[in-house]
Amino acid sequence: MTAANVYQQRPTTGAKAESSLHHAGLASLVGKGRKSAGVIVREKKLLGHLTIRGDGHDAAFAAGVHKALGIELPAALTVVVKGETSLQWMGPDEWLLIVPTGEEFAAEQKLREALGDLHIAITNVSGGQQILELSGPNVRQVLMKSTSYDVHPNSFPVGKAVGTVFAKSQLVIRHTAEDTWELLIRRSFSDYWWLWLQDAAAEYGLSVQA
């Protein structure tokens, strides 16, 4: 295991944690709106986000990641989902690991132990971003309104993930299931994207899910 200073960054003293959309009151909107809404949004808040850097062509690095996570390194522009954990390719030597709330510290420890003395970097970026999950029959139409990237099934199948322009800013779109997509958003832009989604999905009906 490397000599890096690894420590628990999530408060364990009962400190109150709030998502970047806490003030929007999404919880109060659950169950309201159209019963057969075309778009359902769910805030996947306060998850653990870890950026992993390493040589993807190094068999030892790939094997170490698999040993620690039980997930193969994703190829370019793809995301692998295993339960509540996912691993996404972000660049030639960078991947994003997302784990359930509170599991990021243990995940980092496992990775560092499995990767030994390899030249790597693991950074906890949980506080700077989060995910909005969109599901329903009209999600693709909302995406077509919002981005110039081709989201046709032939171009954007399940398992693909890309960073692209969305509305007038940038985020990452992840296609995780047939009618389910995820928007990986920066915390500082949460308000903007939430307001945008409400407007873009209005004609199809927007429902909030817990």
Side-chain angles (χ1 to χ4, degrees), residues 32-34 37-41 134 194 197-198 201-202 204-208:
K32 298 180 180 179
R34 294 188 196 175
V39 180
I40 300 169
V41 62
L134 304 179
W194 169 234
L197 287 174
Q198 291 178 77
Y204 310 110
L206 179 66
S207 175
V208 176

Side-chain angles (χ1 to χ4, degrees), residues 1-207:
M1 187 171 179
T2 66
N5 183 18
V6 182
Y7 59 93
Q8 173 63 273
Q9 298 183 48
R10 186 178 293 271
T12 58
T13 58
K16 185 177 181 180
E18 295 180 348
S19 79
S20 56
L21 284 174
H22 173 77
H23 65 284
L26 268 63
S28 67
L29 300 177
V30 174
K32 298 180 180 179
R34 294 188 196 175
K35 292 184 178 180
S36 57
V39 180
I40 300 169
V41 62
R42 180 166 72 99
E43 183 186 18
K44 301 180 74 172
K45 57 187 179 181
L46 303 178
L47 300 179
H49 294 233
L50 297 172
T51 294
I52 306 169
R53 303 292 296 268
D55 183 359
H57 298 294
D58 184 349
F61 175 73
V65 171
H66 182 264
K67 178 181 178 181
L69 307 177
I71 301 176
E72 299 285 351
L73 276 181
L77 303 180
T78 63
V79 58
V80 177
V81 179
K82 182 181 179 181
E84 294 298 314
T85 298
S86 66
L87 186 62
Q88 178 189 337
W89 182 92
M90 300 295 286
D93 65 349
E94 180 179 350
W95 292 263
L96 175 66
L97 172 66
I98 298 180
V99 296
T101 303
E103 294 186 12
E104 59 272 24
F105 180 51
E108 181 175 355
Q109 289 180 307
K110 288 181 181 179
L111 281 165
R112 291 191 180 278
E113 181 178 356
L115 296 172
D117 296 325
L118 295 178
H119 184 63
I120 62 165
I122 302 174
T123 307
N124 189 327
V125 295
S126 305
Q129 57 191 35
Q130 70 176 61
I131 285 178
L132 290 179
E133 180 189 86
L134 304 179
S135 60
N138 295 115
V139 173
R140 196 183 301 274
Q141 284 79 1
V142 171
L143 295 177
M144 290 169 64
K145 286 184 178 185
S146 307
T147 180
S148 59
Y149 199 93
D150 186 1
V151 294
H152 188 278
N154 292 338
S155 175
F156 211 133
V158 173
K160 187 170 183 177
V162 299
T164 184
V165 173
F166 189 94
K168 295 183 179 180
S169 188
Q170 292 182 318
L171 48 62
V172 173
I173 303 176
R174 299 153 43 112
H175 195 182
T176 54
E178 190 59 37
D179 287 328
T180 303
W181 304 69
E182 292 180 346
L183 304 181
L184 177 65
I185 65 176
R186 284 178 289 173
R187 183 181 182 92
S188 57
F189 281 82
S190 297
D191 274 337
Y192 173 68
W193 283 314
W194 169 234
L195 292 172
W196 178 276
L197 287 174
Q198 291 178 77
D199 183 69
E203 65 178 291
Y204 310 110
L206 179 66
S207 175

